[in-house]
Amino acid sequence: MALTNGGAATPAPASGGSNLVLILDYGSQYTHLITRRIRQLSVLSLCISGSAPLSAITALSPKAVILSGGPHSVHLPSAPSFPDGFLSYVQENGVHVLGICYGMQLLVQKLGGVVDVGEKQEYGKMEIEVQKESALYAADEVGGHQTVWMSHGDEAVKLPPGFEVVARSTQGAVAGIEDRKRHFYGLQYHPEVTHSTKGMETLHRFLFDVCGLSSDWKMQDVLEEEIKTIHSMVGPNDHVICALSGGVDSTVAATLVHKAIGDRLHCVFVDNGLLRYKERERVMSTFESDLHLPVTCIDASEQFLTALKDKEDPEMKRKIIGREFIAVFDDFARNLEKQLGKRPEFLVQGTLYPDVIESCPPPGSGRTHSHTIKSHHNVGGLPKDMKLKLIEPLKLLFKDEVRKLGSILNVPESFLKRHPFPGPGLAVRVIGDVTKGDALDTLRQADEIFVQAIKDAGLYDEIWQAFAVFPSVASVGVQGDQRTHAYVVALRAITSEDGMTADWYYFDHKFLIAVSNKITNSVKAVNRVVLDITSKPPATVEWE
């Protein structure tokens, strides 16, 4: 399927229905997992707000729609729902609909059934029994039990006309329903979660046997389509600026755009004073020797740190950093204009799909949300009056997909395996004022010791992201038989598939002891090391 609309990378409408699965998000913490599970089966899936207007759905022309779970109750007045006309549209166009958890209850209620508070709430691992052969379950599954992941307090107590029950929980609650004639299906559990032991088999049956989809979404096709998109967006004489952070995302984005337009791409790496230990030297060496990208390095550290002085609010820091980045890019563009006789029109960014999803809160969350896929600017808070037009060629991809794309583009494997680094840099790892005292230098030293120890132990590739945090908290200690009042450093290391959810990495105690000792012995300003053992959710990966 073509990815069009320039850097926005939204699917092109296709006459007669496309090979696209569209997920309407109602706030489940597992919604992104549905997106990923479907993509793992080589089918393109996209996620938009569950209250998106009908026009946003019809423009994408999906072959199937999945209604996600969510924390809401359908019988409450504030319960979010799909738009008016949705049910008529999917029936008239032969679109298959699968409701999961809340999504199933929403289908039941809107089609004339009844959903009520369950006599027994079901959360976590539960058993279901497949009661009959159906579109969702094979004949050899009938009478058998499956372990599934439940998360509901309400249940369907009366089904709409045309529906039949195909699975129940061992407590008697409706677990699977379908109306084959009208292409409506429902699961009261989460098939996308690994705890649902046969969940992927059920999704596979729905996608390929029920919907008739093809497994034709490949990274090579994404590459070719994105190059076409860039050609359609960027004129033959236009020039483009790429903001390189030194991370995987911006580097793959730059390599892709460079492949499309060659030396009309002008990369800029900005030292904003918020980089890791020797990051500037290491990254520039890689750009020049391995990637052969045209990169200009600009030292704007004084500019950024001056603007950040005395600023403690995390969102304010992000906006300031975004503003200063664009000021640097605009200045770079003006200088290029003098050299080229033509001002660059575009700015490339390595925005990923998790950024997009997290920038579009689901209905009922109490947060402002967009009905369409919108840009989440990964340098933080870009100004509305920005003169450069954005190109975001990775906007529909998860991190592991970006790495696959990078491999096709011959980006060195060692570079592709680098841990993610946030656009605002160490500003989100120093809590509060980043310019206060020696916070940045202290953090750099501790972070380098931690990450290098992970590499030396052969653990780097097992971990999604590892870093140190400077909480700006001092503690009492004893060093050299003297009482000290020095700073605390927190260590964070996580495992994840895509950055949307994460668990903390379980280090051996001896490793942690060695790292703690080395930090407190080598970094004078630190006398205490703590380990962050919080998953995402409830925490985010970064501290700010």
Side-chain angles (χ1 to χ4, degrees), residues 20-26 31-32 35 39 45-50 60 68 353 356-357 360 372-373 396:
L20 167 70
V21 178
L22 183 63
I23 296 143
L24 300 187
D25 180 17
Y26 292 104
T31 299
H32 71 283
T35 312
R39 290 185 180 197
S45 58
L46 293 175
C47 176
I48 65 173
S49 169
L60 294 172
S68 87
Y353 201 41
V356 175
I357 294 174
C360 301
T372 55
I373 297 173
L396 285 186

Side-chain angles (χ1 to χ4, degrees), residues 154-173:
D154 295 344
E155 64 177 277
V157 296
K158 180 184 177 183
L159 296 186
F163 276 85
E164 59 180 344
V165 178
V166 295
R168 287 186 181 274
S169 73
T170 52
Q171 295 192 127

Side-chain angles (χ1 to χ4, degrees), residues 30-284:
Y30 305 120
T31 299
H32 71 283
L33 273 180
I34 307 172
T35 312
R36 284 192 51 76
R37 296 293 181 249
I38 294 171
R39 290 185 180 197
Q40 286 170 2
L41 296 170
S42 298
V43 175
L44 176 60
S45 58
L46 293 175
C47 176
I48 65 173
S49 169
S51 61
L54 185 62
S55 59
I57 298 170
T58 59
L60 294 172
S61 190
K63 187 73 178 252
V65 174
I66 294 179
L67 310 176
S68 87
H72 319 285
S73 293
V74 295
H75 43 75
L76 295 179
S78 60
S81 180
F82 40 70
D84 292 340
F86 171 77
L87 293 174
S88 297
Y89 166 76
V90 295
Q91 291 181 78
E92 291 168 4
N93 291 274
V95 178
H96 298 266
V97 179
L98 172 64
I100 294 177
C101 200
Y102 175 82
M104 186 192 93
Q105 296 168 5
L106 190 59
L107 265 184
V108 169
Q109 185 202 55
K110 294 297 182 181
L111 288 167
V114 178
V115 176
D116 208 344
V117 178
E119 292 184 8
K120 294 182 180 179
Q121 297 180 337
E122 297 179 316
Y123 295 99
K125 286 185 180 181
M126 302 290 294
E127 293 288 316
I128 65 165
E129 180 183 350
V130 178
Q131 296 195 324
K132 63 187 303 182
E133 182 181 357
S134 64
L136 297 176
Y137 303 107
D140 60 2
E141 294 179 279
V142 177
H145 285 213
Q146 296 181 15
T147 300
V148 300
W149 189 259
M150 293 279 198
S151 183
H152 70 98
D154 295 344
E155 64 177 277
V157 296
K158 180 184 177 183
L159 296 186
F163 276 85
E164 59 180 344
V165 178
V166 295
R168 287 186 181 274
S169 73
T170 52
Q171 295 192 127
V174 173
I177 61 173
E178 61 183 54
D179 179 345
R180 291 200 215 187
K181 186 175 181 180
R182 293 188 291 176
H183 306 309
F184 291 129
Y185 306 86
L187 297 172
Q188 188 56 73
Y189 59 92
H190 290 276
E192 71 276 15
V193 176
T194 54
H195 299 301
S196 295
T197 53
K198 291 192 174 182
M200 281 299 286
E201 294 177 29
T202 304
L203 280 177
H204 189 283
R205 284 179 63 85
F206 175 72
L207 296 174
F208 301 113
D209 299 340
V210 174
C211 302
L213 293 167
S214 302
S215 55
D216 61 359
W217 193 64
K218 313 292 183 186
M219 277 299 110
Q220 183 63 47
D221 295 334
V222 172
L223 171 60
E224 292 170 4
E225 291 295 340
E226 282 302 324
I227 289 175
K228 289 179 185 176
T229 294
I230 294 164
H231 284 157
S232 69
M233 227 184 142
V234 180
N237 298 313
D238 288 340
H239 289 257
V240 178
I241 293 173
C242 181
L244 283 174
S245 67
V248 174
D249 308 335
S250 63
T251 301
V252 172
T255 306
L256 192 159
V257 175
H258 189 250
K259 183 177 179 66
I261 65 171
D263 290 341
R264 288 184 291 128
L265 174 70
H266 307 273
C267 298
V268 55
F269 177 75
V270 180
D271 183 350
N272 58 3
L274 302 167
L275 302 177
R276 291 171 289 195
Y277 182 78
K278 291 190 176 179
E279 181 81 352
R280 175 175 168 179
E281 296 90 332
R282 293 169 177 173
V283 165
M284 287 302 296

